[in-house]
Amino acid sequence: LEARDPTEGRIAHRPAGDNGCGYDPLFYVAELGCTTAQLPPDRTNAVSHRGKAVRHFAGLLRECLARGNGQEG
């Protein structure tokens, strides 16, 4: 299984925010008007590519298991 779910954003001119890690202070999400480091953790997880991809993967896994395509062993 493979899951991808990108988040559109731009590199900010300067870091902003104290939450998150890595590039979060520089990752500006225009539709939210702030960097991901300026969001509370639960909101970051809701919009981040990692959070979206994990939710997408979970859905794919549920579908696969419901069809009986799980692998044993």
Side-chain angles (χ1 to χ4, degrees):
L1 297 174
E2 182 177 312
R4 296 179 189 194
D5 205 336
T7 298
E8 296 293 324
R10 299 180 184 271
I11 298 172
H13 293 283
R14 60 186 150 281
D18 297 321
N19 295 319
C21 61
Y23 58 81
D24 286 345
L26 290 169
F27 191 73
Y28 182 81
V29 182
E31 67 183 68
L32 299 176
C34 63
T35 68
T36 50
Q38 292 173 291
L39 298 170
D42 60 329
R43 184 72 176 127
T44 299
N45 289 333
V47 300
S48 78
H49 67 286
R50 290 179 296 268
K52 292 182 344 183
V54 165
R55 286 187 297 281
H56 185 188
F57 179 81
L60 293 173
L61 181 59
R62 278 191 298 274
E63 290 173 17
C64 182
L65 294 173
R67 288 192 310 263
N69 292 337
Q71 296 179 351
E72 295 184 23

